[in-house]
Amino acid sequence: MGTLEPIGDAVPEENRALAQALRTLFESLGISMRRYAARCYTDPGTLSRFLKGTRVPPWSFVVNLLAHVAEERESQTSDETVALLRQLYVRAAGTNTGTKRTADLQRLLEEADEQAREAASLERLLRQALHESQQQVDQLNVELKALRAVRAADRQAAKAEIALFASEAEDLRQERDQLQAEITLLKKQLKEAVSARILAEERCDQLERQIESVEHSREKEDDETPTSAAEVHITKERVRPTEEGEELEGRAALKYREAQEQMAAAQKRIAALQGELEEAKRERLREESTATLRNHLVSASPEEALVEGQPRSLATRLGYGPDQVLRRVDAASRVDPEDVRPILTRAFDLQTKDEVERTRTLLKAFPNLVQKIFNDVVTHSIKGTTAPAKTAESKGRTVNWRR
């Protein structure tokens, strides 16, 4: 390994102290000067002058020596040791103006280099953060565009559905107005028929009183028996008035038959009008339950019968599924509450048993009036729902019926 040359007496005290500290650190490595010179990429003679104190080494040499010693000892150099060496280095460098200037510049260079490394590290971190932020912004822009596209599609679908509902509502209102006009006409005709019946009954009563009067007169004449020529003469004289009474009786009977015929015709007309009124009501219910079915079965495409490979119910395809009915009822209750009953009637006629129960459950979110209307539709619909058997008394006969 070789022995280090002693420090000369001409070496200043500050250089001696620094050289002695460097020699202590170097000896702890346990290697030769030439080998360490190769490790530090420096000349052995220069290294020898550093360790003898004849030349003050640069601070980088001291830092490298501390790092090599720490690696050899497998321990970190304490801050006190670094501070002590820094103090010895400053004192030794201060003995020579040129060396001090070099040392100051070297220190400034080291500080500038450290700041440059820190700035470069910060730049790399900022560039990485900027890149990640830009990626997040791009991803958010893609998601925002997708949301806008979905929103636009939903808006178009909502507009189409609103237009469909408006068209159906207008058709239903026109149909309702037409039926109301028919009902008004039928009520007017019924009122006229009732008036005609009353007049016919009054005419019949009048003719009956006339007939009774004529019959009473005849009975009175038949009870009188002629006993004398005068009475015979009187009887003969009365023959003519009797013939006139018979003629009057014939005319009264004829009028009575005519009145009877008029009354029978009026009763038939009343019965026909009542039958037409009931038929109009039944026809209205049938048209409400089948009109949409006819229209949609003509225009519906086969693809509409499947959703995700599963068959759709007829009510859903025609726009009267449970969820669709919920939206229809909500829209109708806002515009015209009278349109709620036709919607529920049509929905009940098209839906299956499970769909009816689901519709009943969904309608619980609406006021009690809507639920009552639906229950009334279920009870009285011509679809023929199952209801408890009832018994009605009619003219002494017991009739069992089931709606």
Side-chain angles (χ1 to χ4, degrees):
M1 180 176 64
T3 304
L4 294 175
E5 296 181 1
I7 300 174
D9 296 335
V11 176
E13 187 64 29
E14 293 80 2
N15 293 8
R16 181 185 297 275
L18 178 61
Q20 187 62 44
L22 295 177
R23 291 164 73 95
T24 303
L25 292 173
F26 174 75
E27 289 176 351
S28 64
L29 294 176
I31 60 177
S32 64
M33 187 183 302
R34 188 177 298 277
R35 181 177 176 183
Y36 187 71
R39 181 181 297 182
C40 295
Y41 302 100
T42 185
D43 183 71
T46 302
L47 179 59
S48 176
R49 288 190 290 272
F50 290 162
L51 296 179
K52 288 192 301 183
T54 57
R55 183 176 177 182
V56 178
W59 177 247
S60 60
F61 173 80
V62 179
V63 173
N64 291 333
L65 181 59
L66 288 173
H68 294 153
V69 172
E71 183 181 358
E72 182 68 22
R73 294 178 179 178
E74 296 181 356
S75 62
Q76 187 70 24
T77 304
S78 63
D79 295 337
E80 291 80 3
T81 302
V82 176
L84 178 60
L85 286 173
R86 185 68 181 178
Q87 186 178 4
L88 295 175
Y89 176 79
V90 170
R91 290 178 181 177
T95 59
N96 190 343
T97 303
T99 304
K100 182 179 180 181
R101 178 61 177 170
T102 302
D104 293 338
L105 293 176
Q106 183 67 27
R107 180 171 55 82
L108 293 175
L109 178 61
E110 292 173 357
E111 293 177 356
D113 181 64
E114 184 177 0
Q115 292 177 359
R117 290 198 303 270
E118 292 177 355
S121 178
L122 180 60
E123 181 183 0
R124 287 193 299 272
L125 293 176
L126 291 176
R127 287 183 180 277
Q128 184 178 359
L130 178 62
H131 180 68
E132 294 176 355
S133 300
Q134 187 64 39
Q135 287 182 341
Q136 293 179 357
V137 170
D138 295 339
Q139 182 66 25
L140 291 177
N141 287 332
V142 173
E143 294 178 359
L144 181 60
K145 291 181 180 179
L147 290 176
R148 288 177 177 173
V150 172
R151 183 180 178 183
D154 293 341
R155 186 183 296 109
Q156 293 296 330
K159 288 182 178 179
E161 188 173 0
I162 290 173
L164 177 61
F165 287 166
S167 176
E168 292 182 355
E170 183 64 25
D171 294 340
L172 291 175
R173 277 193 286 270
Q174 292 179 0
E175 186 177 358
R176 181 199 62 191
D177 296 340
Q178 182 180 0
L179 290 175
Q180 286 180 349
E182 293 179 359
I183 291 173
T184 302
L185 178 61
L186 291 175
K187 286 182 178 179
K188 182 179 179 181
Q189 293 177 355
L190 178 61
K191 184 177 180 180
E192 293 175 355
V194 171
S195 299
R197 178 180 61 81
I198 293 174
L199 292 175
E201 289 180 354
E202 291 178 354
R203 179 64 176 166
C204 291
D205 293 338
Q206 182 180 3
L207 292 175
E208 286 179 356
R209 287 193 298 270
Q210 292 177 1
I211 292 172
E212 288 178 358
S213 177
V214 173
E215 289 179 351
H216 180 70
S217 298
R218 291 183 61 185
E219 290 177 356
K220 185 176 180 181
E221 292 176 356
D222 292 340
D223 290 339
E224 295 179 355
T225 304
T227 57
S228 63
E231 291 178 351
V232 171
H233 177 72
I234 294 173
T235 302
K236 290 181 180 180
E237 291 295 331
R238 291 179 177 176
V239 170
R240 185 176 179 180
T242 301
E243 292 176 354
E244 294 177 354
E246 291 177 354
E247 183 180 356
L248 179 61
E249 180 180 357
R251 289 197 299 270
L254 179 61
K255 292 181 178 180
Y256 177 76
R257 285 195 299 273
E258 292 177 354
Q260 289 284 359
E261 292 176 355
Q262 291 177 359
M263 184 174 66
Q267 290 178 348
K268 290 181 180 180
R269 179 58 178 168
I270 292 172
L273 291 175
Q274 291 177 346
E276 291 177 0
L277 181 59
E278 295 297 329
E279 182 63 24
K281 292 181 179 179
R282 289 192 296 269
E283 183 64 24
R284 177 186 177 186
L285 293 175
R286 284 195 296 269
E287 290 179 356
E288 288 177 351
S289 62
T290 59
T292 304
L293 177 62
R294 292 195 304 268
N295 296 334
H296 284 76
L297 287 179
V298 174
S299 60
S301 61
E303 290 78 5
E304 294 180 350
L306 296 177
V307 175
E308 297 181 356
Q310 298 297 327
R312 299 172 61 189
S313 66
L314 179 61
T316 302
R317 279 183 284 165
L318 299 183
Y320 285 91
D323 297 330
Q324 297 165 328
V325 169
L326 195 69
R327 293 194 296 270
R328 287 175 181 267
V329 170
D330 181 62
S333 61
R334 296 174 185 272
V335 178
D336 191 353
E338 294 183 0
D339 294 338
V340 173
R341 178 178 289 273
I343 292 175
L344 295 178
T345 301
R346 185 174 299 181
F348 176 74
D349 291 336
L350 295 175
Q351 289 179 355
T352 62
K353 181 178 179 181
D354 294 338
E355 290 176 329
V356 170
E357 294 301 325
R358 174 166 172 75
T359 302
R360 191 193 304 275
T361 302
L362 294 176
L363 289 178
K364 291 182 179 179
F366 285 84
N368 294 331
L369 178 61
V370 176
Q371 303 178 32
K372 184 178 179 181
I373 292 175
F374 185 71
N375 293 332
D376 184 65
V377 169
V378 173
T379 304
H380 298 90
S381 176
I382 63 173
K383 184 178 180 180
T385 58
T386 303
K390 298 182 180 180
T391 303
E393 296 293 335
S394 177
K395 296 183 179 180
R397 294 182 302 167
T398 301
V399 180
N400 294 327
W401 58 278
R402 183 182 298 273
R403 182 174 295 277

